[in-house]
Amino acid sequence: MRALDRKLLRDMWRIKGQAGAIAVVVAVGVLLQVMMSGMISSLEETRATYYERYRLADVFAPVTRAPQKMLTRLAEIPGVAAVEGRVQGGALVDIVGQDLPVRAQVLSLPEWRNPWLNDVYLSEGQRPRIGRTDEVLLLRSFARAHDLALGDVLSATLYGSKRTFRIVGIAQSPEFLFTTAPGELVPDDARFAVLWLNAEALEAAFDLKGAFNEALLSLERGADVAPVLTAVDSLLDRYGGLGAYALEDQVSNRFLSEEIKGLKATSKAVPPIFMGVAAFLLYIVVSRMVSAEREQIGLIKAFGYTDTEVSLHYFKLVVSIALAGAALGCLGGVWAGRALAGLYQALYHLPFLVFRVDPSSFASGVLISVLAAVVGGVSVLRQVFALTPAVAMRPPAPADYSKSGALTAALKTWLDQPSRMVLRRVLRNPGRIFGAVIGIAAGMGLSSAQMSVMSGFNDVLDTTYGVIDRSDVAVTFFEQMPDKTAFDLAHLPGVIEVEPIRAVGAVLRNGTESYRGSVTGLVENARLNRAVDADHADIAMPDNGIVLAKSLADTLGIGAGDTVSVDVLEGRRPVLELRVARIAETLMGAPAFMHIEALNRALGEPGRISGAYMRVDAGAYPALFSALKDVPSVAGVTRKNDARAAMKKLMDEGAGTMRYVMALIAGVITFGIVYNSARISFGEQSRDLASLRVMGFTQGEAAFILLGELAIVVLLALPIGVLLGYGLSYLVAAGFSTDLYQIPTGFRPEAFGVAGTAVVMAALISGWLVKREIERVDLVATLKTRE
């Protein structure tokens, strides 16, 4: 082994504390990159494989009733590869021991073959046998939520008719990765079921013999979906077409796509922060080493080593630390990715999900870490290259601190000698102090931003289910009902107040921008389901015009006073041109509101409602739910507390889990930066501190001189960390926000207080560790002068 390589090993051992902390910072950045890039590619590949293997449709075309012969016409559309017609509808399922009826979607299966499109993955059991109208396949997530097994009996109400079915199979489907009831925003395995029946049984239940009410289409490779949607709508319009939509607008796929989108945004923004901090720390450590080993560098060059060889020696030190961190990060990324893959597989009900990292992720992680190390050490290496033996072996010229004399004299009255020494060191090293302050502030900013987002998630729940939705129970109907239905609901057991709504499916357009959603009609002075502004004050529904949620207005690029085009997807399917009256601060979904009478008037259907919100006596829930089960027109019943619990569960999983991981990592990096600052300061001052001890200073005074600098750095970093955290919170909140919910952010004192406390605790622990080093200093060995 060459002499310089042996020196490299000795140097690595000597600075193992700093080197280990820097390697951990590098490892965290690489871990995040490997974990997130692997998770993104795994989810995308699994989604593509699952969709292809079970032939998920590219286009969904709901219709009121269309004859089977129309499937042939649909297949003739240019770009269409295959067509499947099916019967689908809503149902209410009774669960033994549960008062609240569960919403369900029922789908038909061909009796003599497997479906050409939207096939199912059979986890257990078998498909319904030919001619059996009482056998069903049940969605596995719902079966697990209620401990249902093969052979169990289900009671369900289909279109007003109560039927009993036996479970013969447990199935999964790429169409239901997220199980969200029609009209609801939040998926909940326990509150929404999917049942597959033989086509004959479902056609009879919904009076669709020889007809279908939904067409599924797959497209040829490279086909443009837009003209296909237009052609499908044109053919099905006369049969009550409800508007064809592409796979990208299918609810389950949209959830998964938003999750992948959020992971991509985070993977691009966060790892560079860690790499930048690592580069700064490497710069500090290597520059200190070069300064301390100035005479050694001169001696090594005097023995004949070239400038390149000596520079390469320190370059190896930098790269070794980066490579150690990268290797640790790669291993940690694979471990973390596999753990996260299990969570995502359960969350999205995937039959398989193998975490696989593209080798390019490892390569890019190592390359980026090395580049960060090179950036951190290149300026120092230039100094090594420039030193000549004669100059290097002479002590450096002392710095001129004469200009600080007046300041020092002025402070003599107020500060004792150790305090003046601390202050002088801070004033004489502004660049290094500034770098340490920025590093600690960056860690604190990242921590406080993550905690602000956590608080934002809670605000979404509190605002949505406490300020906007003040009801206890919500009821939806299979079809539009006369407004006197609200009067009938008010006479059910325990009902205190009823507030009707009218919701219609629609596509909202502004120029080239569009959004597929719905328009909800609210009563005047709504109390149970409100539209509110940024201050949570009620927005009065205008007699004419529409109120858009802020997220929807941003998507459409539209503001108050502009005109939005609304393509209604039911009834006579009119196209409405409506003025945007206000923008509402709704944090859940992207709704649009109108006065219920104005909406009915625009549709030419006065006095119609599609659901109602109710305030109910809690003791009357069993009697109320029992009565609602006997109302044929009721499609679903939702208890607000159940919806809130489901939303909280959703936020705590998937992207929600990632925010906890990010908060933990931010804490790790903060401690790493603080500890490195303390260790570097100790390395630079060990000889001075030993001299002070010999001169009569106590261990406590020596520790005060060393740790006083760290205290000043931390105190300066706290306000800067607050500013950085405030800015980062907006970026992180934007990354976690989706079409389902928007995360509010702002100045949250509790988040910055916790982050600041964490920094102070990290400083105290680091100070304690360094103080132990001070107590173990060998004064004689430290004071020896190398000749």
Side-chain angles (χ1 to χ4, degrees):
M1 182 180 291
R2 299 177 58 199
L4 286 182
D5 292 334
R6 290 196 296 273
K7 180 181 183 302
L8 174 64
L9 294 178
R10 288 196 301 270
D11 290 343
M12 289 287 289
W13 178 253
R14 181 163 49 86
I15 63 167
K16 56 183 179 296
Q18 297 100 304
I22 296 170
V24 168
V25 175
V26 173
V28 167
V30 176
L31 180 150
L32 280 174
Q33 182 175 348
V34 171
M35 178 188 70
M36 300 182 79
S37 62
M39 199 68 254
I40 291 168
S41 61
S42 298
L43 283 174
E44 289 181 331
E45 291 180 11
T46 299
R47 177 177 62 176
T49 302
Y50 195 21
Y51 286 5
E52 181 179 1
R53 186 174 298 175
Y54 293 94
R55 304 176 296 283
L56 186 63
D58 297 307
V59 173
F60 297 76
V63 63
T64 302
R65 180 190 178 101
Q68 291 286 342
K69 65 180 182 180
M70 288 304 300
L71 297 175
T72 304
R73 298 281 304 278
L74 292 172
E76 294 172 353
I77 297 174
V80 174
V83 176
E84 177 83 73
R86 69 180 182 183
V87 175
Q88 63 88 26
L92 290 179
V93 175
D94 286 334
I95 301 297
V96 177
Q98 180 173 312
D99 297 322
L100 183 68
V102 176
R103 298 187 68 176
Q105 185 170 357
V106 288
L107 302 167
S108 66
L109 287 173
E111 295 192 52
W112 299 91
R113 59 175 174 82
N114 290 337
W116 289 319
L117 298 175
N118 289 28
D119 201 358
V120 298
Y121 169 76
L122 199 61
S123 300
E124 302 176 48
Q126 62 183 13
R127 296 172 186 263
R129 291 170 292 179
I130 298 173
R132 297 301 297 264
T133 61
D134 61 340
E135 295 181 348
V136 297
L137 293 181
L138 183 63
L139 188 67
R140 189 177 74 161
S141 57
F142 181 81
R144 287 187 171 184
H146 293 280
D147 294 324
L148 296 172
L150 298 179
D152 289 347
V153 175
L154 277 179
S155 178
T157 303
L158 280 69
Y159 209 61
S161 175
K162 196 163 188 176
R163 304 275 302 277
T164 300
F165 301 98
R166 184 173 298 277
I167 303 171
V168 297
I170 306 295
Q172 293 176 257
S173 168
E175 188 178 356
F176 299 103
L177 300 177
F178 257 111
T179 51
T180 306
E184 291 195 18
L185 293 173
V186 183
D188 189 349
D189 296 338
R191 296 192 303 116
F192 180 64
V194 180
L195 288 73
W196 287 269
L197 286 74
N198 278 328
E200 180 182 351
L202 213 52
E203 288 173 0
F206 289 100
D207 192 22
L208 289 170
K209 191 68 176 178
F212 64 90
N213 63 3
E214 185 175 34
L216 308 172
L217 294 81
S218 67
L219 305 183
E220 297 173 350
R221 190 178 300 274
D224 187 2
V225 69
V228 173
L229 294 176
T230 302
V232 170
D233 286 340
S234 177
L235 287 174
L236 297 181
D237 183 63
R238 59 183 294 193
Y239 299 104
L242 302 178
Y245 57 94
L247 177 60
E248 66 179 8
D249 290 322
Q250 198 260 347
V251 174
S252 176
N253 178 71
R254 204 160 161 185
F255 269 96
L256 184 54
S257 298
E258 287 290 335
E259 185 69 32
I260 294 174
K261 179 182 175 182
L263 286 174
K264 287 181 177 179
T266 306
S267 66
K268 291 178 181 178
V270 177
I273 296 176
F274 292 91
M275 294 305 177
V277 172
F280 163 73
L281 293 176
L282 281 168
Y283 168 77
I284 295 296
V285 170
V286 178
S287 62
R288 185 191 65 80
M289 286 188 61
V290 170
S291 177
E293 297 181 359
R294 178 187 177 94
E295 295 180 9
Q296 292 184 28
I297 294 171
L299 187 61
I300 291 171
K301 289 187 176 183
F303 272 99
Y305 287 93
T306 65
D307 293 337
T308 302
E309 288 175 320
V310 179
S311 299
L312 185 61
H313 163 72
Y314 289 97
F315 179 78
K316 287 180 180 178
L317 177 67
V318 171
V319 172
S320 297
I321 296 173
L323 289 177
L328 181 63
C330 289
L331 293 175
V334 172
W335 175 83
R338 288 178 175 173
L340 198 60
L343 185 149
Y344 273 105
Q345 184 175 0
L347 178 64
Y348 288 96
H349 310 305
L350 296 165
F352 54 88
L353 177 58
V354 179
F355 180 77
R356 188 186 68 81
V357 183
D358 193 308
S360 62
S361 297
F362 293 119
S364 61
V366 173
L367 180 61
I368 292 173
S369 62
V370 170
L371 287 176
V374 170
V375 169
V378 67
S379 60
V380 180
L381 297 180
R382 290 177 59 189
Q383 298 174 18
V384 175
F385 198 90
L387 282 174
T388 62
V391 174
M393 295 179 69
R394 290 200 307 267
D400 181 10
Y401 298 121
S402 59
K403 295 181 180 180
S404 65
L407 177 63
T408 304
L411 292 174
K412 284 182 179 179
T413 308
W414 302 97
L415 301 176
D416 58 13
Q417 190 176 24
S419 300
R420 293 198 300 272
M421 295 174 70
V422 171
L423 186 60
R424 279 199 301 268
R425 181 168 174 80
V426 170
L427 295 175
R428 292 172 179 180
N429 299 277
R432 184 174 56 78
I433 296 299
F434 175 76
V437 168
I438 294 299
I440 295 173
M444 177 185 167
L446 191 57
S447 298
S448 58
Q450 294 297 330
M451 283 181 280
S452 293
V453 170
M454 292 180 189
S455 298
F457 273 76
N458 295 329
D459 285 351
V460 171
L461 291 174
D462 293 340
T463 301
T464 301
Y465 295 106
V467 177
I468 296 174
D469 184 356
R470 294 175 170 177
S471 69
D472 296 314
V473 174
V475 174
T476 56
F477 304 117
F478 282 111
E479 55 190 7
Q480 309 301 330
M481 303 294 292
D483 52 10
K484 70 180 184 66
T485 307
F487 179 79
D488 297 333
L489 291 175
H491 288 77
L492 293 178
V495 176
I496 301 171
E497 183 178 358
V498 176
E499 188 173 280
I501 63 167
R502 170 84 189 267
V504 296
V507 176
L508 291 85
R509 305 182 190 277
N510 178 42
T512 59
E513 303 297 332
S514 64
Y515 183 86
R516 185 185 181 93
S518 63
V519 179
T520 302
L522 303 180
V523 299
E524 189 172 358
N525 299 322
R527 288 166 38 85
L528 303 184
N529 182 44
R530 308 161 62 212
V532 300
D533 60 18
D535 297 322
H536 296 172
D538 287 294
I539 294 179
M541 291 296 106
D543 293 334
N544 292 291
I546 190 170
V547 177
L548 301 182
K550 185 178 183 303
S551 57
L552 178 55
D554 292 342
T555 299
L556 297 176
I558 201 169
D562 296 335
T563 300
V564 63
S565 178
V566 180
D567 298 352
V568 179
L569 300 178
E570 60 182 64
R572 294 178 290 106
R573 300 186 61 186
V575 177
L576 310 177
E577 297 293 331
L578 302 173
R579 183 181 64 85
V580 179
R582 290 285 299 274
I583 304 297
E585 194 70 25
T586 302
L587 299 177
M588 289 284 287
F593 303 105
M594 292 182 67
H595 193 289
I596 189 169
E597 294 180 3
L599 176 60
N600 284 333
R601 186 168 59 248
L603 296 173
E605 300 172 353
R608 311 297 288 180
I609 66 173
S610 61
Y613 286 84
M614 301 187 297
R615 194 157 56 89
V616 179
D617 181 357
Y621 277 142
L624 173 63
F625 295 150
S626 177
L628 288 172
K629 289 179 183 179
D630 296 329
V631 180
S633 58
V634 172
V637 181
T638 302
R639 189 162 39 195
K640 185 180 74 172
N641 288 342
D642 294 336
R644 181 190 177 101
M647 188 65 200
K648 181 170 176 54
K649 179 181 177 183
L650 173 65
M651 289 181 170
D652 287 339
E653 297 177 350
T657 301
M658 188 57 64
R659 76 183 193 267
Y660 291 112
V661 172
M662 295 298 299
L664 176 62
I665 288 174
V668 171
I669 190 175
T670 302
F671 177 79
I673 295 169
V674 174
Y675 177 70
N676 254 291
S677 299
R679 286 289 307 182
I680 291 168
S681 181
F682 173 70
E684 290 178 338
Q685 299 186 68
S686 58
R687 185 179 178 85
D688 296 339
L689 294 175
S691 299
L692 292 174
R693 290 290 313 285
V694 172
M695 293 168 61
F697 279 67
T698 65
Q699 283 188 353
E701 290 173 327
F704 174 81
I705 293 171
L706 174 64
L707 300 180
E709 178 184 337
L710 177 63
I712 292 175
V713 168
V714 169
L715 289 175
L716 292 174
L718 290 177
I720 299 176
V722 171
L723 294 176
L724 289 177
Y726 183 71
L728 283 173
S729 65
Y730 285 92
L731 297 178
V732 177
F736 280 118
S737 296
T738 68
D739 282 351
L740 175 65
Y741 51 80
Q742 293 77 47
I743 305 301
T745 189
F747 184 79
R748 301 180 184 277
E750 69 281 3
F752 295 105
V754 172
T757 301
V759 170
V760 173
M761 291 300 297
L764 292 175
I765 295 172
S766 300
W768 177 73
L769 293 174
V770 173
K771 185 177 182 296
R772 293 177 60 196
E773 296 291 331
I774 296 174
E775 294 170 353
R776 291 199 294 260
V777 167
D778 186 338
L779 300 181
V780 176
T782 303
L783 289 173
K784 282 183 178 179
T785 302
R786 296 168 183 164
E787 298 295 343

